[in-house]
Each structure stands twice: as structure tokens, then as C-alpha cells.
Amino acid sequence: MPAFLKREDSGVTVEDLSFKQGPCLLPPDVPVQVDGRPFLPGSSKPGLPKYCSPPKPLFPCVFEAQKVTEAEPEVQLWAKALKPTLDEHLAKYGAVLIKGLPMNSDPVAFSAFMKEMKAEYECEKFMEGRSMTSSAVAEDVRTGSDDDPRYTIEPHNEYNVAAKERPKKLFLVCGEEPKHGCGGEWIISDSRAITEQMEPTVLNKFKTLEARYEVYYPPKATATYNNWEENIAETKEEAEAYLTRAGCDWTWNEDDSILIHRNLPAVAEHPQTGEVLWFNQIHAHHATFYKDAHPEFMDHDESVPYPVHTKYGNGEEIEEETLNHIREVVWANTVAVPLRLGDLLIVDNYAALHGRMGFSLDSPRQTFVSILYE
């Protein structure tokens, strides 16, 4: 067992550990293309920036893990030591990047770290009802995404429609760096700036009507992408019980596929600051998230629903110009964060959006993710 997972007393205390605020994060070595980028939803539409913005002075806010002893403390102790830093800075800045933690590419160590965090934050659940693909690699730890690496996952709030609650914090660890110049950067977007810059007529219409989210799952027997048995429950009865608890409606089709739908607000009050912020997946849950963008759906049979879709809460389709505007505002406030082995990016799910730039098929890249509800 690695030393940082052992529970015996190493003589190190929380007081021996600290997190020193570091300098502004350097931008990626290669500019991160947005406008016209292949496999990026909406990249052919007008208004998108040519490149992602570089990291800003305090977005993300960078900290270096430090210790005053030669002994290697268990990773759980680092989690205890980190809590005051998160309490002070995460909601204020929206995203915090921690360097120097001893987790590297070990998801088991990350799991131990998160267990200690959950003891502090009283987390109850983990990612339920995801529309995209990912794999469990340790308890409460998953791969960030198993989707085609070339595909860019647009900035979004973690907002699983079929989940009972919305996460408050996301923890992402870099397990393997992509090759130089091959892409794969983390992306984060400033929710406060997005809310301020959203066209008032768009904001007010969604405030009034809410958004209708639809999720389509085929059965496992015929699925080529995702299925309801592995994302909701193994039987129809269990799936219906879960969806009832989650507040969803649904329709079973003759081929045993299911269409789930639910109306949800487009804004939410930040649980700590009380700010009312743009908080949804209206653009990143729309069918255009896959249509003409995702490599696996380039030849999609249009008679079959895409995995996700959004409409206005009254059932009307969202206008193309509205989707374009939302994406324009989101990308205008998005920065690219280079991946470095062992880096821990922590995102306030209300104050910031997160995503992944596409990367080359021949490049390694691995990230692990976990979440907290408090």
C-alpha cells in the first residue's frame, strides 16, 4: 500500500500542511482554437471567439501544497488541511487549482482523498443518470469522459436531469497529461460574467418558461452509445421508482427505449453567496450537442432521438439564434487550463462551468472526477 494511503500515525498533523497561493497560471503553449474547431458543437456559427482566453489572474485561483516535514502524510490528511482554503476561496473565485498533492495517476488515492472530504461535507450520492459515457475506476471516482477524444465537451454546469440533486463542487484530477500541442485542456467558464452578459430577453424568457430537458436511452441490448440499465437501474420497475423519486416524467417505447423529460429552472441561487446565476445545461443538453459535432453521431438516423435535447418549458423549440447567443456568451467567458500530472482542479458548480477540449486520437490523456453535494 502506498505510504500516503496508510492510516498509522506518521507524526504529521494538519498544522504541518498548508496551501500557499501561487502565481497566475500560464496559458497553454499552443492557442486553443474555438471558432471553426472540428467536433465542437456550434463551432461553425458566428460570434464564437477564435481562441479560448488564457487563465485569468484568479480564475482559476492557484495554490501549492506545502508541508514542513520530510514525512509523507496520508492523502486523507491533505483533504482535511484543504478544507479551510476551499471554504475561503472557492465560492469567491469559482475555481481553484491545487498543485503538489501526492495523488498523481492513482484513482484509489483520489478516492481516499474524497472520502475524507465527504466526511467533512456529508456527501450523499454520486453521479446518477449521466447522458454521456464514463467508467467507474474507484469508489465514487469515475473517468472524466469516455467519449471520442476528438470531441469537445462544451462548458456546462454538472446538471444531470435524472439525478435527485445538483452537485455543489466538482473535483478533477489529471492522471495523464496529453502530448504537447495535442489539446485536451480543461475549460472553465465564469458564471457571474455569463449571467451579466446574457441578453435580458433570453434570460427573462427562460426565467418565465424554464427549460424542458429530454434524455433518450435505448435498452442495453441494442445500444451503441448509452443505455438506461447502466445509467438508471437494471429493471423497468427500479428505473421507474428512481425517476419518480427524482421528479422526472417518462415514456417507454415499443422497443424498450425510454424518453425521460423534466422541466427545470434556468437560474439558481448560489448556496453560499445568494447570487442568482445562470445555472443549467440548455446549450450543452440540446440535440446540437451531438448533431453534426460528435464523431459517433455524424451519420445518425434522424428518426431516432439524440441522447439529449432541450426545449422551452412549454414544449416550444429553442430558436437557433438563441442557442448561438448562449454559446457566444459562454465561450467569451471561457479559459483553457493546461493539464499537468497530479493537478487537482476544483470547480464551484454554481460559480463556474467546466468542460474538455478535444484532443488527438494518438495522444494519451486521463482525468478522474468526483463530486460533492455540500
Side-chain angles (χ1 to χ4, degrees):
M1 177 182 291
F4 52 76
L5 285 180
K6 292 180 180 178
R7 273 298 195 175
E8 60 261 22
D9 187 5
S10 62
V12 183
T13 68
V14 171
E15 288 71 27
D16 296 322
L17 309 177
S18 63
F19 293 88
K20 180 181 178 181
Q21 189 166 341
C24 176
L25 194 65
L26 294 175
D29 296 331
V30 178
V32 179
Q33 179 187 355
V34 177
D35 181 36
R37 186 186 185 102
F39 308 117
L40 189 159
S43 66
S44 64
K45 305 299 181 182
L48 296 187
K50 186 173 182 179
Y51 300 112
C52 270
S53 299
K56 300 185 183 303
L58 292 171
F59 189 69
C61 193
V62 180
F63 289 88
E64 296 275 355
Q66 298 186 326
K67 56 188 177 76
V68 296
T69 173
E70 293 298 318
E72 189 61 64
E74 61 270 16
V75 73
Q76 295 93 334
L77 203 60
W78 281 112
K80 283 179 178 277
L82 181 58
K83 184 180 182 298
T85 298
L86 292 187
D87 289 345
E88 181 178 355
H89 297 285
L90 185 58
K92 181 178 180 180
Y93 297 116
V96 168
L97 184 69
I98 307 296
K99 291 183 168 291
L101 289 173
M103 287 188 288
N104 292 333
S105 58
D106 189 344
V108 176
F110 185 28
S111 177
F113 180 92
M114 292 306 300
K115 284 182 183 298
E116 196 64 50
M117 277 287 175
K118 290 174 183 180
E120 300 285 350
Y121 288 105
E122 299 179 354
C123 177
E124 296 177 358
K125 307 172 197 66
F126 191 53
M127 293 177 166
E128 301 154 314
R130 300 192 80 199
S131 56
M132 299 195 76
T133 59
S134 71
S135 304
V137 290
E139 188 174 356
D140 285 357
V141 174
R142 300 183 73 91
T143 56
S145 173
D146 295 340
D147 278 58
D148 190 299
R150 297 170 292 175
Y151 180 64
T152 292
I153 301 172
E154 290 182 278
H156 60 281
N157 302 105
E158 198 62 37
Y159 201 84
N160 298 334
V161 175
K164 293 184 279 293
E165 296 181 38
R166 306 288 168 260
K168 293 186 173 67
K169 302 175 181 72
L170 289 93
F171 292 68
L172 296 131
V173 166
C174 174
E176 188 172 10
E177 297 179 21
K179 293 179 183 177
H180 180 267
C182 285
E185 296 85 2
W186 282 318
I187 43 178
I188 52 175
S189 312
D190 184 344
S191 297
R192 295 178 174 101
I194 291 168
T195 307
E196 291 174 2
Q197 296 171 25
M198 194 64 62
E199 176 63 41
T201 55
V202 172
L203 188 61
N204 291 333
K205 187 171 183 178
F206 277 112
K207 280 184 177 179
T208 300
L209 297 177
E210 297 190 327
R212 175 187 167 104
Y213 292 85
E214 298 178 350
V215 181
Y216 171 77
Y217 287 126
K220 185 176 180 180
T222 59
T224 58
Y225 180 67
N226 233 336
N227 63 84
W228 58 264
E229 290 99 324
E230 293 178 323
N231 283 268
I232 301 295
E234 294 183 356
T235 68
K236 285 187 174 182
E237 293 74 19
E238 291 171 325
E240 290 180 359
Y242 173 82
L243 294 170
T244 298
R245 292 193 300 270
C248 295
D249 295 311
W250 65 88
T251 301
W252 291 104
N253 300 311
E254 291 183 1
D255 62 354
D256 285 337
S257 62
I258 186 171
L259 183 66
I260 301 163
H261 55 92
R262 184 181 188 184
N263 280 18
L264 290 166
V267 297
E269 185 176 293
H270 192 287
Q272 287 179 255
T273 69
E275 300 163 279
V276 176
L277 298 170
W278 182 257
F279 181 74
N280 57 70
Q281 276 196 12
I282 289 168
H283 69 290
H285 199 99
H286 193 268
T288 54
F289 187 71
Y290 289 99
K291 185 177 182 179
D292 300 328
H294 196 294
E296 294 184 45
F297 290 86
M298 288 301 185
D299 299 318
H300 183 67
D301 180 357
E302 295 292 331
S303 68
V304 178
Y306 284 90
V308 295
H309 190 41
T310 47
K311 301 175 181 177
Y312 289 110
N314 62 1
E316 293 178 4
E317 294 289 344
I318 300 170
E319 306 88 352
E320 182 179 352
E321 58 268 27
T322 297
L323 283 171
N324 293 346
H325 171 69
I326 292 171
R327 287 185 164 119
E328 178 181 348
V329 174
V330 168
W331 280 107
N333 294 285
T334 295
V335 305
V337 179
L339 269 69
R340 297 294 180 262
L341 184 64
D343 279 4
L344 172 64
L345 178 64
I346 307 168
V347 179
D348 182 312
N349 194 34
Y350 287 76
L353 287 64
H354 67 285
R356 178 201 81 180
M357 297 307 298
F359 58 102
S360 301
L361 285 170
D362 62 351
S363 175
R365 181 192 185 274
Q366 184 61 275
T367 64
F368 306 116
V369 61
S370 189
I371 57 178
L372 295 178
Y373 286 87
E374 298 294 337

